[in-house]
Amino acid sequence: MKTTPRQNLITAAALVCVLTFATTIAQAADPLSSWNDGPAKKAVVEFVQATTEKSSPKFVPPSERIATFDNDGTLWAEQPMYFQLLFALDRVKALAPQHPEWKDKEPFASLLKGDVKGALAGGERAMLEIVMTTHAGMTTEEFEKIVKDWLATARHPKFKRPYTEIVYQPMVELLAYLRANGFKTFIVSGGGIEFMRPWTEKVYGIPPEQVVGSSIKTKFEMRDGKPVLVRLPEINFIDDKTGKPVGINEHIGRRPVVAFGNSDGDRQMLEWTQAGLGARLMMLVHHDDAVRELAYGAESKIGTFSDALMAEAKTNGWTVISMKNDWKRIFAWEQ
Amino acid sequence: MKTTPRQNLITAAALVCVLTFATTIAQAADPLSSWNDGPAKKAVVEFVQATTEKSSPKFVPPSERIATFDNDGTLWAEQPMYFQLLFALDRVKALAPQHPEWKDKEPFASLLKGDVKGALAGGERAMLEIVMTTHAGMTTEEFEKIVKDWLATARHPKFKRPYTEIVYQPMVELLAYLRANGFKTFIVSGGGIEFMRPWTEKVYGIPPEQVVGSSIKTKFEMRDGKPVLVRLPEINFIDDKTGKPVGINEHIGRRPVVAFGNSDGDRQMLEWTQAGLGARLMMLVHHDDAVRELAYGAESKIGTFSDALMAEAKTNGWTVISMKNDWKRIFAWEQ
């Protein structure tokens, strides 16, 4: 039987429809659609399959599926400087009218003149003074509101978007993919625990009780018959470098099987994770995309990815994620 | 139509069967079967219904359903003294051969002669020395093994059973009931966080990451190329009294809606819980059953339930659980 041109056309159209539909389905079905098919994505998918398939020799029981993630530079960006530091600088400006003495007092004087570099020239002491002045003295509830209010209005200097949108879409997909496979996802960050908790659930799907970070001390007090926790200008815990395994042990109480970081501050977390028995997955995000984000690493003060770390990654079999090659897109709002 | 005696007998037997079956079903269906029908059980059930029914004005979203429980005297027993102290005393005996100097050194000398009272006469300093000697100096993994080994062999002096069986069955049912209704259950105890974590998941269904407790500091170290955390003889955090809201804030990062305790050490946790907006449930276990367990409270050094706490419970509407009246049975192994 012969087909008419019209019939041919209909058949062709139908075929196109079916193919388009199939492609759409395939894309929708890929939980890691912002990852290019490459070694990093492959390592993730193979690890998850091997640890969740009951018959696999690498099977990990659901209760042991603990995955820890650094935040700055791993889940969201950290340039031109840590967002929490930008928050602190904005707070200094907001509080300045109540502190006329800052006009002549470093590091505040330089800061208020817009000279961030000059302010931070005072090193760790200057940084600590800025952090304590802007992070302590209020109740935990008041601080939470300050953070939320800032996030609602502040914009990233380069991307002109709220900081909570400067998050890496492939990592957001990865978090969801791990959770869909029974992993419990935690943040283990050098950032302030109470600076992160107000927004991590909404942005990453990670609830407050699964956030580990640096902290200052708090004190229980009764104010007008109501109990409050007052934030004190005293360091409680620094969740960085050797502090990360300590923080993991204190807050989680078991060793992760998955750990993602991006800098020298994450080294010990990855070592600690790897030292456990059974299957493990350690990865480092490498900022090598000067076009879509930034290329930095060994030479950067913020998010240092030293040559020694790169060498250790090779020796230990940690996967280094190339943002340039492994990520199809970096931010959700990219085309 | 007349029935024969035989028919009557069959009908009666069938009726008995049906009734027995119905009772069994009703019992099996009651998730709080070790609780007597009384004010405490009623308060729990009504609270859970009110906070989980979507149309209820008291509805609490699942993510906010945080429930915190003291451990000693609330979930398991705490007499003749805190089980962790009994563990420490056993450890002193076990370690004595390696410490010949203890023969002449208090508090160890008294302890090794079996004079616990004499050993503890040195007050807090003596206690601290016993705790640090027995809890520090090893890695976290070694300590976990020590705790597990002790629990496997040690027996409660009165009940002659493993300590992990001296847990309150009504509370175990309550934990499961809350979890079945979407609550996340946490321990918030003055006890050592690493003393509890090795067994809380098995005994209470509470995983390590949901245990908050007192702690000593730990230090990350490389030993033979392997990372370890070494337990240091230095207090990190005391999770008692005003420390409980601090610990809750640090570990959980949100305010509980449910809090259970049994002593003056839990006062601030209940106050902190109650001070939040919306429906709240605060309860105190009162040890008033001299027959099945022990009757103690205001006069007891361990698990003090002062008259002031009782007065505050009345003022604030906290339910006081009478172990004697509210609990059908106390331990799982009771008939």
Side-chain angles (χ1 to χ4, degrees):
Chain A
M1 196 175 95
K2 270 199 174 171
T3 54
T4 64
R6 191 183 156 81
Q7 276 174 326
N8 279 340
L9 197 70
I10 290 170
T11 307
L15 198 66
V16 168
C17 281
V18 165
L19 283 175
T20 309
F21 188 67
T23 312
T24 308
I25 287 284
Q27 278 174 348
D30 181 3
L32 300 174
S33 62
S34 295
W35 292 71
N36 285 317
D37 290 319
K41 181 175 181 173
K42 190 165 174 274
V44 167
V45 172
E46 284 181 357
F47 175 84
V48 168
Q49 284 170 349
T51 52
T52 56
E53 172 54 50
K54 269 213 160 167
S55 63
S56 158
K58 293 185 173 175
F59 179 74
V60 174
S63 67
E64 297 290 333
R65 292 182 201 159
I66 304 289
T68 55
F69 292 82
D70 170 57
N71 185 42
D72 298 306
T74 299
L75 298 181
W76 76 353
E78 59 185 351
Q79 301 286 1
M81 60 183 100
Y82 297 125
F83 296 174
Q84 189 173 0
L85 193 53
L86 293 168
F87 161 77
L89 302 185
D90 280 352
R91 288 302 297 159
V92 168
K93 284 178 214 156
L95 293 168
Q98 298 157 48
H99 294 273
E101 77 279 9
W102 283 356
K103 255 192 344 207
D104 310 306
K105 197 185 159 194
E106 288 300 346
F108 305 103
S110 296
L111 259 189
L112 293 173
K113 279 180 221 141
D115 178 11
V116 175
K117 225 173 181 174
L120 299 183
E124 203 173 308
R125 230 188 94 243
M127 184 88 90
L128 204 65
E129 195 161 355
I130 293 168
V131 169
M132 288 309 179
T133 306
T134 53
H135 286 67
M138 67 295 279
T139 68
T140 50
E141 283 187 323
E142 286 163 355
F143 185 72
E144 183 181 339
K145 190 180 176 315
I146 291 168
V147 172
K148 283 183 171 169
D149 288 351
W150 180 75
L151 286 172
T153 55
R155 294 294 177 267
H156 187 273
K158 179 179 169 190
F159 297 113
K160 314 291 180 200
R161 287 175 175 269
Y163 289 98
T164 46
E165 290 181 15
I166 320 298
V167 299
Y168 303 132
Q169 179 60 18
M171 296 304 285
V172 172
E173 291 170 8
L174 174 64
L175 290 168
Y177 173 63
L178 287 171
R179 286 194 295 265
N181 283 283
F183 286 83
K184 212 165 174 175
T185 53
F186 288 80
I187 288 174
V188 178
S189 166
I193 194 166
E194 300 216 42
F195 177 74
M196 295 183 281
R197 281 173 165 164
W199 52 271
T200 54
E201 185 150 33
K202 205 172 155 191
V203 174
Y204 303 135
I206 296 180
E209 61 270 26
Q210 283 160 228
V211 177
V212 183
S214 297
S215 56
I216 56 176
K217 289 200 187 291
T218 63
K219 187 173 171 274
F220 180 90
E221 256 184 45
M222 279 293 188
R223 286 191 180 172
D224 304 323
K226 208 190 153 222
V228 294
L229 289 172
V230 181
R231 291 169 58 80
L232 307 178
E234 192 186 335
I235 295 284
N236 179 56
F237 182 65
I238 300 291
D239 192 46
D240 195 31
K241 298 192 172 73
T242 58
K244 290 208 174 190
V246 171
I248 287 170
N249 184 60
E250 192 173 327
H251 282 257
I252 308 178
R254 39 185 158 199
R255 198 188 294 259
V257 292
V258 171
F260 278 72
N262 78 301
S263 79
D264 286 17
D266 302 311
R267 209 186 98 197
Q268 288 86 353
M269 174 167 75
L270 269 62
E271 289 171 348
W272 177 247
T273 300
Q274 185 162 33
L277 295 173
R280 306 279 147 172
L281 183 70
M282 284 71 55
M283 291 205 173
L284 290 167
V285 175
H286 194 214
H287 295 261
D288 60 357
D289 192 328
V291 176
R292 295 184 298 175
E293 198 214 24
L294 274 170
Y296 65 93
E299 77 302 330
S300 176
K301 275 199 177 179
I302 285 173
T304 315
F305 193 133
S306 68
D307 295 338
L309 182 66
M310 189 63 91
E312 186 169 347
K314 270 189 194 142
T315 307
N316 291 350
W318 303 344
T319 302
V320 175
I321 299 164
S322 161
M323 289 175 70
K324 193 173 164 181
N325 301 321
D326 286 313
W327 288 359
K328 201 171 285 173
R329 56 177 185 169
I330 292 184
F331 302 110
W333 34 268
E334 278 172 24
Q335 191 23 37
Chain B
M1 195 173 101
K2 268 197 176 171
T3 54
T4 64
R6 191 183 157 80
Q7 278 174 324
N8 279 341
L9 197 68
I10 290 170
T11 308
L15 199 67
V16 167
C17 281
V18 166
L19 284 175
T20 309
F21 188 67
T23 311
T24 309
I25 288 284
Q27 278 173 348
D30 180 3
L32 300 175
S33 62
S34 295
W35 292 70
N36 285 317
D37 290 319
K41 181 175 181 173
K42 191 166 175 277
V44 167
V45 172
E46 285 181 357
F47 175 83
V48 168
Q49 284 170 348
T51 51
T52 55
E53 172 54 50
K54 268 213 161 167
S55 63
S56 157
K58 292 184 174 175
F59 179 74
V60 174
S63 67
E64 296 290 333
R65 293 182 201 158
I66 303 289
T68 55
F69 291 82
D70 170 58
N71 185 41
D72 298 305
T74 300
L75 296 182
W76 75 354
E78 60 186 348
Q79 301 286 0
M81 61 183 100
Y82 297 125
F83 296 174
Q84 190 173 0
L85 193 52
L86 293 168
F87 161 76
L89 302 185
D90 280 352
R91 287 303 297 159
V92 168
K93 283 178 216 157
L95 294 168
Q98 297 158 48
H99 294 273
E101 75 280 10
W102 284 355
K103 255 194 344 212
D104 309 306
K105 197 185 159 195
E106 290 298 347
F108 305 104
S110 296
L111 259 189
L112 293 173
K113 281 180 221 141
D115 178 11
V116 176
K117 224 175 182 172
L120 299 182
E124 204 173 308
R125 231 189 94 245
M127 184 89 88
L128 204 65
E129 196 161 354
I130 293 168
V131 169
M132 288 308 179
T133 306
T134 54
H135 286 66
M138 68 293 281
T139 68
T140 50
E141 282 187 324
E142 287 163 354
F143 185 72
E144 184 181 340
K145 190 179 175 314
I146 291 169
V147 171
K148 282 183 171 169
D149 288 350
W150 180 75
L151 286 173
T153 54
R155 294 293 176 267
H156 186 274
K158 180 178 168 190
F159 297 113
K160 313 290 179 202
R161 284 174 177 272
Y163 288 99
T164 45
E165 290 182 15
I166 321 297
V167 300
Y168 303 132
Q169 178 59 20
M171 295 303 285
V172 172
E173 292 170 8
L174 174 64
L175 290 168
Y177 173 63
L178 287 171
R179 286 194 295 265
N181 283 283
F183 286 83
K184 212 164 173 176
T185 54
F186 289 81
I187 288 174
V188 178
S189 166
I193 194 165
E194 299 215 43
F195 177 74
M196 296 183 281
R197 281 172 164 165
W199 53 271
T200 54
E201 185 149 34
K202 205 172 155 192
V203 174
Y204 303 136
I206 296 179
E209 61 269 27
Q210 284 161 226
V211 176
V212 182
S214 298
S215 56
I216 57 177
K217 289 200 186 294
T218 63
K219 188 173 169 276
F220 180 89
E221 255 184 45
M222 279 293 188
R223 287 191 180 173
D224 304 322
K226 210 192 152 220
V228 294
L229 290 172
V230 182
R231 293 170 56 82
L232 306 177
E234 192 187 336
I235 295 284
N236 179 55
F237 182 64
I238 300 290
D239 192 45
D240 196 31
K241 298 193 171 71
T242 58
K244 290 208 173 190
V246 171
I248 287 170
N249 185 60
E250 193 173 327
H251 283 257
I252 309 178
R254 39 185 157 199
R255 199 188 293 260
V257 293
V258 171
F260 278 72
N262 79 302
S263 79
D264 286 19
D266 302 311
R267 209 185 100 198
Q268 288 86 354
M269 173 166 75
L270 270 63
E271 289 171 349
W272 177 247
T273 300
Q274 185 163 34
L277 294 173
R280 305 281 146 171
L281 183 69
M282 285 69 56
M283 290 204 174
L284 290 166
V285 174
H286 194 214
H287 295 261
D288 60 357
D289 192 328
V291 176
R292 295 184 298 175
E293 198 214 24
L294 273 169
Y296 64 92
E299 78 302 329
S300 176
K301 274 199 177 179
I302 285 173
T304 316
F305 193 134
S306 68
D307 296 339
L309 182 66
M310 188 62 91
E312 187 169 346
K314 271 190 191 139
T315 308
N316 291 350
W318 301 345
T319 303
V320 175
I321 299 165
S322 161
M323 288 175 72
K324 192 173 164 181
N325 300 320
D326 287 313
W327 288 358
K328 202 172 285 175
R329 57 178 185 166
I330 291 183
F331 301 110
W333 34 268
E334 279 171 23
Q335 191 19 40

